[in-house]
PDB file of all heavy atoms in Angstrom:
ATOM      1  N   GLY A 428     -13.278 -24.273   2.919  1.00  0.00           N
ATOM      2  CA  GLY A 428     -14.151 -25.433   3.342  1.00  0.00           C
ATOM      3  C   GLY A 428     -14.226 -26.448   2.229  1.00  0.00           C
ATOM      4  O   GLY A 428     -14.236 -27.668   2.645  1.00  0.00           O
ATOM      5  N   ALA A 429     -14.308 -26.111   0.981  1.00  0.00           N
ATOM      6  CA  ALA A 429     -14.412 -27.071  -0.150  1.00  0.00           C
ATOM      7  C   ALA A 429     -13.108 -27.915  -0.209  1.00  0.00           C
ATOM      8  O   ALA A 429     -13.196 -29.104  -0.450  1.00  0.00           O
ATOM      9  CB  ALA A 429     -14.692 -26.324  -1.458  1.00  0.00           C
ATOM     10  N   LEU A 430     -11.976 -27.214  -0.002  1.00  0.00           N
ATOM     11  CA  LEU A 430     -10.711 -27.937  -0.130  1.00  0.00           C
ATOM     12  C   LEU A 430     -10.558 -28.944   1.076  1.00  0.00           C
ATOM     13  O   LEU A 430     -10.102 -29.994   0.857  1.00  0.00           O
ATOM     14  CB  LEU A 430      -9.534 -26.956  -0.056  1.00  0.00           C
ATOM     15  CG  LEU A 430      -9.216 -26.051  -1.330  1.00  0.00           C
ATOM     16  CD1 LEU A 430      -8.278 -25.013  -1.052  1.00  0.00           C
ATOM     17  CD2 LEU A 430      -8.767 -27.013  -2.486  1.00  0.00           C
ATOM     18  N   LEU A 431     -11.067 -28.514   2.252  1.00  0.00           N
ATOM     19  CA  LEU A 431     -10.929 -29.373   3.412  1.00  0.00           C
ATOM     20  C   LEU A 431     -11.819 -30.708   3.081  1.00  0.00           C
ATOM     21  O   LEU A 431     -11.402 -31.903   3.258  1.00  0.00           O
ATOM     22  CB  LEU A 431     -11.494 -28.764   4.616  1.00  0.00           C
ATOM     23  CG  LEU A 431     -11.735 -29.607   5.853  1.00  0.00           C
ATOM     24  CD1 LEU A 431     -10.536 -30.245   6.337  1.00  0.00           C
ATOM     25  CD2 LEU A 431     -12.404 -28.794   6.945  1.00  0.00           C
ATOM     26  N   SER A 432     -12.995 -30.500   2.546  1.00  0.00           N
ATOM     27  CA  SER A 432     -13.926 -31.604   2.343  1.00  0.00           C
ATOM     28  C   SER A 432     -13.363 -32.524   1.156  1.00  0.00           C
ATOM     29  O   SER A 432     -13.482 -33.728   1.386  1.00  0.00           O
ATOM     30  CB  SER A 432     -15.338 -31.009   1.916  1.00  0.00           C
ATOM     31  OG  SER A 432     -15.873 -30.282   2.838  1.00  0.00           O
ATOM     32  N   ALA A 433     -12.873 -31.906   0.147  1.00  0.00           N
ATOM     33  CA  ALA A 433     -12.277 -32.710  -0.908  1.00  0.00           C
ATOM     34  C   ALA A 433     -11.068 -33.517  -0.375  1.00  0.00           C
ATOM     35  O   ALA A 433     -10.935 -34.796  -0.847  1.00  0.00           O
ATOM     36  CB  ALA A 433     -11.855 -31.863  -2.036  1.00  0.00           C
ATOM     37  N   GLY A 434     -10.171 -32.929   0.366  1.00  0.00           N
ATOM     38  CA  GLY A 434      -9.092 -33.625   0.955  1.00  0.00           C
ATOM     39  C   GLY A 434      -9.497 -34.763   1.825  1.00  0.00           C
ATOM     40  O   GLY A 434      -8.843 -35.835   1.729  1.00  0.00           O
ATOM     41  N   TYR A 435     -10.502 -34.554   2.613  1.00  0.00           N
ATOM     42  CA  TYR A 435     -11.017 -35.559   3.472  1.00  0.00           C
ATOM     43  C   TYR A 435     -11.629 -36.826   2.755  1.00  0.00           C
ATOM     44  O   TYR A 435     -11.275 -37.875   3.035  1.00  0.00           O
ATOM     45  CB  TYR A 435     -12.152 -34.953   4.416  1.00  0.00           C
ATOM     46  CG  TYR A 435     -12.858 -35.967   5.231  1.00  0.00           C
ATOM     47  CD1 TYR A 435     -12.351 -36.291   6.496  1.00  0.00           C
ATOM     48  CD2 TYR A 435     -14.026 -36.497   4.856  1.00  0.00           C
ATOM     49  CE1 TYR A 435     -13.055 -37.411   7.263  1.00  0.00           C
ATOM     50  CE2 TYR A 435     -14.781 -37.453   5.524  1.00  0.00           C
ATOM     51  CZ  TYR A 435     -14.266 -37.847   6.790  1.00  0.00           C
ATOM     52  OH  TYR A 435     -14.953 -38.796   7.521  1.00  0.00           O
ATOM     53  N   ARG A 436     -12.461 -36.475   1.704  1.00  0.00           N
ATOM     54  CA  ARG A 436     -12.886 -37.528   0.942  1.00  0.00           C
ATOM     55  C   ARG A 436     -11.942 -38.303   0.163  1.00  0.00           C
ATOM     56  O   ARG A 436     -12.021 -39.666   0.159  1.00  0.00           O
ATOM     57  CB  ARG A 436     -13.964 -37.007  -0.079  1.00  0.00           C
ATOM     58  CG  ARG A 436     -15.292 -36.488   0.540  1.00  0.00           C
ATOM     59  CD  ARG A 436     -16.367 -36.234  -0.615  1.00  0.00           C
ATOM     60  NE  ARG A 436     -15.986 -35.258  -1.533  1.00  0.00           N
ATOM     61  CZ  ARG A 436     -16.140 -33.980  -1.336  1.00  0.00           C
ATOM     62  NH1 ARG A 436     -16.790 -33.551  -0.317  1.00  0.00           N
ATOM     63  NH2 ARG A 436     -15.739 -33.088  -2.258  1.00  0.00           N
ATOM     64  N   ASP A 437     -10.914 -37.676  -0.303  1.00  0.00           N
ATOM     65  CA  ASP A 437      -9.830 -38.441  -1.101  1.00  0.00           C
ATOM     66  C   ASP A 437      -9.046 -39.329  -0.233  1.00  0.00           C
ATOM     67  O   ASP A 437      -8.670 -40.429  -0.598  1.00  0.00           O
ATOM     68  CB  ASP A 437      -8.894 -37.461  -1.825  1.00  0.00           C
ATOM     69  CG  ASP A 437      -9.641 -36.641  -2.853  1.00  0.00           C
ATOM     70  OD1 ASP A 437     -10.619 -37.152  -3.389  1.00  0.00           O
ATOM     71  OD2 ASP A 437      -9.115 -35.686  -3.310  1.00  0.00           O
ATOM     72  N   SER A 438      -8.838 -38.854   1.067  1.00  0.00           N
ATOM     73  CA  SER A 438      -8.116 -39.532   1.949  1.00  0.00           C
ATOM     74  C   SER A 438      -8.773 -40.760   2.611  1.00  0.00           C
ATOM     75  O   SER A 438      -8.197 -41.929   2.893  1.00  0.00           O
ATOM     76  CB  SER A 438      -7.436 -38.619   3.065  1.00  0.00           C
ATOM     77  OG  SER A 438      -6.705 -39.337   3.979  1.00  0.00           O
TER      78      SER A 438
END
Side-chain angles (χ1 to χ4, degrees):
L430 285 171
L431 171 65
S432 298
Y435 171 86
R436 287 193 301 270
D437 292 343
S438 179

